Amino acid sequence: IMLYPLAMALWNGFKSQAEYDVSKWYPTLPLKIFNVINGFKLVADYIYNTILVAVIGIGGSLFIASLASYAFVKTNFPGKTFFFYFVMILMMVPGVMTLVPQSILYNTIGLYNNIFALIIPLWTGGCVGSVFLLNMFMNSLPDEIFDAAHVDGANMFVCYFRIALPLTMSILCTIVIMQIIGVWNDYLWPTIILKPEKYTISAGLLLLFSSEYTADMPMMFATYLVSSLPIIILFIFSNKFYIQGLLGAAIKM
Protein backbone atom coordinates (compact mmCIF):
# COMPACT_ATOMS: atom_id res chain seq x y z
CA ILE A 1 0.00 0.00 0.00
CA MET A 2 2.89 2.35 0.76
CA LEU A 3 5.18 1.37 -2.11
CA TYR A 4 2.70 1.23 -4.99
CA PRO A 5 2.08 5.04 -5.11
CA LEU A 6 5.86 5.55 -5.04
CA ALA A 7 6.24 3.11 -7.93
CA MET A 8 3.52 4.99 -9.81
CA ALA A 9 5.41 8.25 -9.31
CA LEU A 10 8.54 6.57 -10.68
CA TRP A 11 7.14 5.12 -13.89
CA ASN A 12 4.76 8.00 -14.61
CA GLY A 13 7.74 10.36 -14.67
CA PHE A 14 8.90 8.61 -17.85
CA LYS A 15 5.63 8.80 -19.80
CA SER A 16 4.22 11.31 -22.25
CA GLN A 17 0.95 13.01 -21.33
CA ALA A 18 -0.95 10.80 -23.79
CA GLU A 19 0.54 7.63 -22.32
CA TYR A 20 -0.21 8.85 -18.82
CA ASP A 21 -3.88 9.40 -19.66
CA VAL A 22 -4.37 5.76 -20.71
CA SER A 23 -1.81 3.86 -18.61
CA LYS A 24 -1.13 5.69 -15.36
CA TRP A 25 -1.63 2.54 -13.26
CA TYR A 26 1.15 0.44 -14.83
CA PRO A 27 4.56 0.99 -16.49
CA THR A 28 5.00 1.22 -20.24
CA LEU A 29 7.88 1.37 -22.72
CA PRO A 30 9.71 3.24 -24.14
CA LEU A 31 10.78 5.53 -21.33
CA LYS A 32 10.65 9.29 -21.98
CA ILE A 33 13.99 10.47 -20.57
CA PHE A 34 13.40 14.07 -21.69
CA ASN A 35 10.96 14.52 -18.79
CA VAL A 36 13.79 14.03 -16.30
CA ILE A 37 16.12 16.35 -18.25
CA ASN A 38 13.50 19.09 -18.41
CA GLY A 39 12.60 18.53 -14.77
CA PHE A 40 16.21 19.02 -13.74
CA LYS A 41 16.36 22.29 -15.69
CA LEU A 42 13.29 23.51 -13.81
CA VAL A 43 14.68 22.85 -10.33
CA ALA A 44 18.47 23.11 -10.78
CA ASP A 45 18.64 26.56 -9.14
CA TYR A 46 16.42 25.44 -6.27
CA ILE A 47 18.63 22.38 -5.65
CA TYR A 48 21.73 24.58 -5.69
CA ASN A 49 20.17 26.95 -3.12
CA THR A 50 19.21 24.01 -0.91
CA ILE A 51 22.68 22.46 -1.03
CA LEU A 52 24.23 25.84 -0.18
CA VAL A 53 21.96 26.24 2.86
CA ALA A 54 22.57 22.64 3.95
CA VAL A 55 26.37 22.77 3.71
CA ILE A 56 26.89 26.12 5.45
CA GLY A 57 23.96 25.88 7.87
CA ILE A 58 24.43 22.29 9.00
CA GLY A 59 28.22 22.65 9.18
CA GLY A 60 27.89 25.61 11.54
CA SER A 61 25.10 23.92 13.49
CA LEU A 62 27.22 20.81 14.12
CA PHE A 63 30.20 22.87 15.23
CA ILE A 64 28.10 24.89 17.71
CA ALA A 65 26.18 21.84 18.99
CA SER A 66 29.27 19.67 19.45
CA LEU A 67 31.21 22.46 21.17
CA ALA A 68 28.29 23.21 23.49
CA SER A 69 27.81 19.53 24.32
CA TYR A 70 31.50 19.12 25.07
CA ALA A 71 31.35 22.13 27.39
CA PHE A 72 28.27 20.78 29.18
CA VAL A 73 29.72 17.29 29.65
CA LYS A 74 33.48 17.65 30.06
CA THR A 75 33.92 21.06 31.71
CA ASN A 76 32.66 22.72 34.85
CA PHE A 77 31.36 26.28 35.01
CA PRO A 78 28.86 28.13 37.21
CA GLY A 79 25.22 27.48 36.27
CA LYS A 80 26.00 24.56 33.95
CA THR A 81 22.90 22.57 34.92
CA PHE A 82 20.66 25.62 34.68
CA PHE A 83 21.90 26.50 31.19
CA PHE A 84 21.58 22.91 29.99
CA TYR A 85 17.95 22.68 31.09
CA PHE A 86 17.32 26.11 29.60
CA VAL A 87 18.59 24.82 26.25
CA MET A 88 16.39 21.73 26.58
CA ILE A 89 13.33 23.91 27.21
CA LEU A 90 13.84 25.37 23.73
CA MET A 91 13.06 21.92 22.29
CA MET A 92 9.51 22.29 23.60
CA VAL A 93 8.82 25.59 21.81
CA PRO A 94 6.78 24.96 18.62
CA GLY A 95 8.38 26.43 15.53
CA VAL A 96 5.12 28.05 14.44
CA MET A 97 5.11 30.10 17.65
CA THR A 98 8.31 31.90 16.62
CA LEU A 99 7.46 32.25 12.94
CA VAL A 100 6.09 35.81 13.03
CA PRO A 101 8.65 37.24 15.51
CA GLN A 102 11.44 35.59 13.53
CA SER A 103 10.13 37.09 10.30
CA ILE A 104 9.97 40.56 11.86
CA LEU A 105 13.51 40.15 13.25
CA TYR A 106 15.09 39.15 9.94
CA ASN A 107 13.24 41.87 8.06
CA THR A 108 14.43 44.45 10.62
CA ILE A 109 18.11 43.47 10.36
CA GLY A 110 18.00 43.53 6.56
CA LEU A 111 18.07 39.81 5.79
CA TYR A 112 14.83 39.62 3.82
CA ASN A 113 15.50 37.73 0.56
CA ASN A 114 18.95 36.81 1.82
CA ILE A 115 20.03 33.16 1.91
CA PHE A 116 21.52 33.74 5.38
CA ALA A 117 17.96 34.07 6.67
CA LEU A 118 17.79 30.28 6.21
CA ILE A 119 21.31 29.57 7.45
CA ILE A 120 21.30 31.55 10.72
CA PRO A 121 18.25 29.69 12.17
CA LEU A 122 20.19 26.45 11.68
CA TRP A 123 23.07 27.91 13.66
CA THR A 124 20.75 28.94 16.50
CA GLY A 125 17.53 26.98 17.00
CA GLY A 126 18.53 24.17 14.63
CA CYS A 127 21.27 22.91 16.94
CA VAL A 128 19.12 22.49 20.08
CA GLY A 129 18.10 18.89 19.38
CA SER A 130 21.66 18.09 18.34
CA VAL A 131 22.95 19.33 21.71
CA PHE A 132 20.64 16.87 23.46
CA LEU A 133 21.77 13.86 21.38
CA LEU A 134 25.46 14.79 21.55
CA ASN A 135 25.22 15.38 25.29
CA MET A 136 24.00 11.81 25.80
CA PHE A 137 26.76 10.49 23.56
CA MET A 138 29.62 12.48 25.05
CA ASN A 139 28.45 11.66 28.57
CA SER A 140 29.42 8.04 27.91
CA LEU A 141 33.01 8.88 26.88
CA PRO A 142 35.44 7.87 29.66
CA ASP A 143 36.88 10.83 31.57
CA GLU A 144 40.17 8.95 31.88
CA ILE A 145 40.91 9.53 28.17
CA PHE A 146 40.59 13.28 28.59
CA ASP A 147 42.53 13.26 31.87
CA ALA A 148 45.40 11.42 30.20
CA ALA A 149 45.38 13.92 27.35
CA HIS A 150 45.51 16.82 29.83
CA VAL A 151 48.48 15.19 31.56
CA ASP A 152 50.25 15.00 28.18
CA GLY A 153 49.74 18.74 27.75
CA ALA A 154 46.58 18.85 25.62
CA ASN A 155 44.30 21.78 26.30
CA MET A 156 40.50 21.76 26.18
CA PHE A 157 40.25 22.52 22.45
CA VAL A 158 42.80 19.84 21.51
CA CYS A 159 40.76 17.30 23.49
CA TYR A 160 37.63 18.48 21.70
CA PHE A 161 39.09 18.24 18.19
CA ARG A 162 41.33 15.19 18.62
CA ILE A 163 39.28 13.02 21.00
CA ALA A 164 35.64 14.08 21.37
CA LEU A 165 34.82 14.70 17.69
CA PRO A 166 36.29 11.44 16.30
CA LEU A 167 34.54 9.37 18.98
CA THR A 168 31.15 10.97 18.22
CA MET A 169 31.39 10.65 14.43
CA SER A 170 28.54 8.12 14.15
CA ILE A 171 25.98 10.33 15.90
CA LEU A 172 27.27 13.37 13.97
CA CYS A 173 26.54 11.53 10.71
CA THR A 174 23.04 10.72 11.96
CA ILE A 175 22.41 14.37 12.84
CA VAL A 176 23.67 15.48 9.42
CA ILE A 177 21.21 13.19 7.64
CA MET A 178 18.30 14.29 9.84
CA GLN A 179 19.07 17.97 9.34
CA ILE A 180 19.57 17.63 5.57
CA ILE A 181 16.14 16.03 5.29
CA GLY A 182 14.73 18.89 7.36
CA VAL A 183 16.32 21.50 5.09
CA TRP A 184 15.16 19.64 1.97
CA ASN A 185 11.56 19.43 3.21
CA ASP A 186 11.25 22.96 4.58
CA TYR A 187 8.93 25.07 2.45
CA LEU A 188 7.14 27.39 4.90
CA TRP A 189 10.05 29.55 6.10
CA PRO A 190 11.63 30.03 2.63
CA THR A 191 8.31 31.19 1.19
CA ILE A 192 8.00 33.78 3.97
CA ILE A 193 11.52 35.22 3.98
CA LEU A 194 12.68 34.80 0.36
CA LYS A 195 11.58 35.82 -3.11
CA PRO A 196 10.91 33.00 -5.60
CA GLU A 197 14.29 33.19 -7.36
CA LYS A 198 16.06 32.20 -4.10
CA TYR A 199 13.65 29.47 -2.99
CA THR A 200 14.94 26.12 -1.77
CA ILE A 201 13.68 22.92 -3.38
CA SER A 202 10.40 22.31 -1.51
CA ALA A 203 9.29 25.93 -1.83
CA GLY A 204 10.31 25.90 -5.50
CA LEU A 205 8.27 22.78 -6.22
CA LEU A 206 5.28 24.29 -4.47
CA LEU A 207 5.62 27.37 -6.65
CA LEU A 208 6.03 25.41 -9.89
CA PHE A 209 3.18 22.98 -9.48
CA SER A 210 0.66 25.39 -8.05
CA SER A 211 0.75 27.32 -11.31
CA GLU A 212 1.84 26.56 -14.85
CA TYR A 213 2.83 22.89 -14.77
CA THR A 214 -0.08 21.48 -12.79
CA ALA A 215 -1.73 19.95 -15.87
CA ASP A 216 1.45 18.14 -17.01
CA MET A 217 1.44 15.21 -14.61
CA PRO A 218 4.41 13.27 -16.09
CA MET A 219 6.56 16.42 -15.88
CA MET A 220 5.47 16.89 -12.28
CA PHE A 221 6.38 13.30 -11.37
CA ALA A 222 9.74 13.56 -13.15
CA THR A 223 10.58 16.82 -11.39
CA TYR A 224 9.74 15.37 -7.99
CA LEU A 225 11.90 12.36 -8.83
CA VAL A 226 14.86 14.60 -9.72
CA SER A 227 14.32 16.62 -6.54
CA SER A 228 14.30 13.49 -4.37
CA LEU A 229 17.33 11.86 -5.99
CA PRO A 230 20.03 13.61 -3.89
CA ILE A 231 18.31 12.57 -0.65
CA ILE A 232 17.85 8.99 -1.89
CA ILE A 233 21.54 8.74 -2.86
CA LEU A 234 22.61 10.24 0.47
CA PHE A 235 20.51 7.77 2.42
CA ILE A 236 21.73 4.76 0.41
CA PHE A 237 25.39 5.55 1.03
CA SER A 238 25.01 6.71 4.64
CA ASN A 239 22.35 4.29 5.86
CA LYS A 240 24.93 2.28 7.83
CA PHE A 241 26.15 5.35 9.76
CA TYR A 242 22.58 6.58 10.28
CA ILE A 243 21.54 3.33 11.96
CA GLN A 244 24.77 3.12 13.99
CA GLY A 245 24.22 6.64 15.32
CA LEU A 246 20.60 5.99 16.27
CA LEU A 247 21.41 2.70 17.99
CA GLY A 248 24.37 4.23 19.82
CA ALA A 249 22.30 7.18 21.03
CA ALA A 250 19.47 4.89 22.16
CA ILE A 251 21.84 2.64 24.13
CA LYS A 252 23.61 5.56 25.80
CA MET A 253 20.29 7.18 26.75
Side-chain angles (χ1 to χ4, degrees), residues 43-78:
V43 297
D45 290 340
Y46 300 138
I47 291 177
Y48 170 76
N49 293 339
T50 309
I51 292 175
L52 182 65
V53 171
V55 170
I56 301 176
I58 295 174
S61 174
L62 283 183
F63 174 71
I64 295 170
S66 59
L67 199 59
S69 300
Y70 179 77
F72 280 129
V73 174
K74 299 302 181 184
T75 65
N76 289 306
F77 57 89

Side-chain angles (χ1 to χ4, degrees), residues 144-156 158-159 163:
E144 291 77 11
I145 299 176
F146 297 91
D147 293 338
H150 287 309
V151 170
D152 289 338
N155 60 31
M156 181 177 65
V158 171
C159 291
I163 300 175

Side-chain angles (χ1 to χ4, degrees), residues 20-63:
Y20 173 81
D21 291 338
V22 298
S23 61
K24 64 173 69 71
W25 302 108
Y26 52 89
T28 58
L29 293 174
L31 301 178
K32 303 298 189 295
I33 305 298
F34 63 85
N35 282 350
V36 175
I37 297 173
N38 292 335
F40 177 76
K41 292 177 181 178
L42 285 175
V43 297
D45 290 340
Y46 300 138
I47 291 177
Y48 170 76
N49 293 339
T50 309
I51 292 175
L52 182 65
V53 171
V55 170
I56 301 176
I58 295 174
S61 174
L62 283 183
F63 174 71

Side-chain angles (χ1 to χ4, degrees), residues 115-126:
I115 204 73
F116 274 94
L118 303 184
I119 294 171
I120 293 176
L122 290 172
W123 292 349
T124 54

